[in-house]
Amino acid sequence: MIETIGRALLFDIDGTLANTDPLHLKAFNAVLGPRGHVFDHARFSRELQGFANVAIGERFLPDETVERRTAILGEKEEVFRALVAGQIEPLAGLMALLDRADAAGIPMVAVTNAPRLNAELLLSGLGITHRFRALVIGDELPHGKPHPLPYQEGLRFVGASAAASVAFEDSRTGVQSATAAGIPTIGIRTSLSHTDLVGAGAVASAGAFDDPELLARLAATIAW
């Protein structure tokens, strides 16, 4: 295998590699519902999807101490991990795409606002931890998504050029983060519409990784 210098594929995790958003919605309602915040799918996609827990705590738990917010949202993540255990399925076409990238020597990076425990659980559950050169956790940086820093860090880890790479995202904040870093971004329509994703800055959208238009655009951008 000959490594391709300067190009990379960067992936969000939740809602992109696997459609986990319905389980996040259920977990948020289990923990925030008794505290007066109940979410349907539309409200989830606007106000929770893609945001770091720090920002969620500031918005929905303003009267709690920082320590208490952390504990409450940690409880939410425990509920999510219990729900998702044994239920992780890759989005259609994902494994074939990862195989093709590996064969072409194109490094891959996972970039997420999810807590590290969640991210590692999902990658492990999908059996793809070894595929990624780096795992970038937004909460472990000075700025998470929608700031460009998480994706800038992902590019830095593999020495890739933003313009020669491609990112995959399912949330507005994620698309905004990747595009602000200068990376052409394909929106994955697990929760949001084409209009929503392109409105956030995506160059295109797809329902899954086996979408012929996605594969054609990817081939044109990556030139593998």
Side-chain angles (χ1 to χ4, degrees):
M1 183 180 73
I2 299 174
E3 178 141 327
T4 303
I5 303 300
R7 293 178 283 180
L9 297 181
L10 301 99
F11 297 82
D12 174 52
I13 297 179
D14 278 297
T16 299
L17 300 180
N19 187 13
T20 52
D21 286 342
L23 299 181
H24 278 291
L25 172 58
K26 188 173 181 178
F28 272 119
N29 278 330
V31 174
L32 294 183
R35 294 174 170 87
H37 302 290
V38 178
F39 301 88
D40 58 11
H41 173 80
R43 190 181 179 201
F44 168 84
S45 69
R46 288 194 311 269
E47 301 177 13
L48 297 175
Q49 184 194 29
F51 287 94
N53 277 348
V54 170
I56 291 170
E58 289 172 351
R59 179 168 185 179
F60 295 105
L61 301 167
D63 298 327
E64 302 284 357
T65 65
V66 172
E67 292 77 13
R68 185 63 185 144
R69 290 175 195 166
T70 299
I72 292 168
L73 290 169
E75 180 186 346
K76 175 264 164 183
E77 301 304 348
E78 290 177 1
V79 172
F80 168 75
R81 289 192 290 271
L83 289 170
V84 81
Q87 297 190 42
I88 308 171
E89 295 290 338
L91 216 60
L94 173 65
M95 296 307 186
L97 178 60
L98 300 184
D99 286 344
R100 186 170 180 180
D102 274 340
I106 297 173
M108 293 174 284
V109 179
V111 183
T112 182
N113 267 353
R116 181 170 290 276
L117 278 177
N118 290 22
E120 292 177 344
L121 171 66
L122 290 171
L123 294 178
S124 174
L126 291 168
I128 58 175
T129 303
H130 64 289
R131 302 277 200 161
F132 296 95
R133 300 288 184 84
L135 170 58
V136 180
I137 305 293
D139 275 353
E140 297 176 359
L141 299 173
H143 304 285
K145 305 174 189 180
H147 194 280
L149 183 59
Y151 276 98
Q152 291 168 340
E153 283 293 284
L155 293 171
R156 184 183 65 80
F157 272 120
V158 293
S161 158
S165 300
V166 174
F168 301 94
E169 272 285 356
D170 72 306
S171 70
R172 294 179 183 88
T173 54
V175 171
Q176 290 163 358
S177 174
T179 57
I183 307 170
T185 304
I186 297 175
I188 302 298
R189 299 191 302 269
T190 47
S191 293
L192 297 178
S193 69
H194 172 82
T195 300
D196 289 331
L197 292 162
V198 171
V203 297
S205 77
F209 292 102
D210 56 359
D211 184 309
E213 291 185 13
L214 178 152
L215 296 173
R217 180 175 288 272
L218 193 56
T221 305
I222 294 291
W224 55 17

